[in-house]
Amino acid sequence: MKVVIAGGGSVGLSIARELLRHHHEVLIVDENEPPADREGFEAATWFVGDACELVTLQRAGTDEADVVVSATGDDKANLVVSLLAKTEFGVGRTVGRVNNPKNDWMFDDAWGVDVAVSTPRLMTALVEEAVEVGDVVRLLTLRTGETTMVAYTVPFDGPAVGRFVGSYAWPEGVVPVAVLRDDLPFAPSPDDVFEGDDEVFFLSTLEAEPALRELMRGA
């Protein structure tokens, strides 16, 4: 898979290193020359230019990319790159970094963003997940901004323990997609039984989140 990353800062380079470890083709677009120390991302192609300019993305071969990641520290730049990737190059998937949570609402399909990733929101979610076992925590906002990925950690003494997945009448717009148990993920079937400390991941519409939260609290 070919991935174009706009932004060669710490976030962009971290993403590049992970993708290269998984044997993807990575091209980084940044206004600055590459750092002298390229440990971990030596195999990445580095293109010097402003990713917000159409000609830069053209020269970088964005039309051949499977995914474009906008990972700069400027939300305006990330929105512009995502929009250009979608409208001018027809890229199949775009991922946009949200630096300021107040701008999260703009990172949707109107700006060409398929997946919006807010580092502050993720960090908050992880903190909440650690201290609020038994509550539904939003992790990501997907595509149009109307669909989210949320997580729920089953309390050891909670009413969900021992219940079948299929025994729940999930709210409309909610789908249980994965369970993480003992560091091993699996797709839940109706016959699977929840255990204490299970991390359950759902895809949910924004409207359905409160109903899911209420359901899991009562379990």
Side-chain angles (χ1 to χ4, degrees), residues 171-218:
E172 184 178 356
V174 171
V175 180
V177 292
V179 174
L180 185 63
R181 179 180 297 163
D182 298 327
D183 296 327
L184 294 175
F186 64 90
S189 73
D191 296 327
D192 284 314
V193 175
F194 287 126
E195 297 182 6
D197 206 36
D198 278 353
E199 291 186 63
V200 189
F201 297 88
F202 301 87
L203 289 181
S204 172
T205 62
L206 283 173
E207 290 183 353
E209 272 189 27
L212 174 62
R213 187 169 287 107
E214 190 65 26
L215 175 66
M216 299 313 294
R217 283 175 179 168

Side-chain angles (χ1 to χ4, degrees), residues 18-123:
E18 289 299 316
L19 290 171
L20 289 168
R21 288 193 191 106
H22 290 84
H23 310 293
H24 297 296
E25 181 183 351
V26 176
L27 185 147
I28 301 169
V29 180
D30 195 271
E31 291 182 299
N32 301 310
E33 296 288 339
D37 182 8
R38 296 190 59 175
E39 183 179 356
F41 65 98
E42 304 95 327
T45 302
W46 191 283
F47 190 92
V48 178
D50 184 353
C52 291
E53 294 184 358
L54 184 60
V55 65
T56 299
L57 295 177
Q58 286 175 331
R59 292 174 178 170
T62 305
D63 58 325
E64 299 175 357
D66 299 293
V67 181
V68 168
V69 180
S70 304
T72 78
D74 185 331
D75 285 345
K76 295 189 296 294
N78 292 339
L79 288 170
V80 170
V81 171
S82 298
L83 185 62
L84 290 175
K86 275 292 183 185
T87 60
E88 299 297 330
F89 301 100
V91 174
R93 187 172 182 80
T94 60
V95 179
R97 173 189 176 188
V98 185
N99 296 278
N100 186 339
K102 292 181 180 179
N103 297 329
D104 188 64
W105 64 275
M106 291 190 291
F107 282 72
D108 58 18
D109 63 340
W111 279 95
V113 180
D114 291 324
V115 180
V117 181
S118 171
T119 302
R121 172 172 286 175
L122 278 175
M123 294 179 71

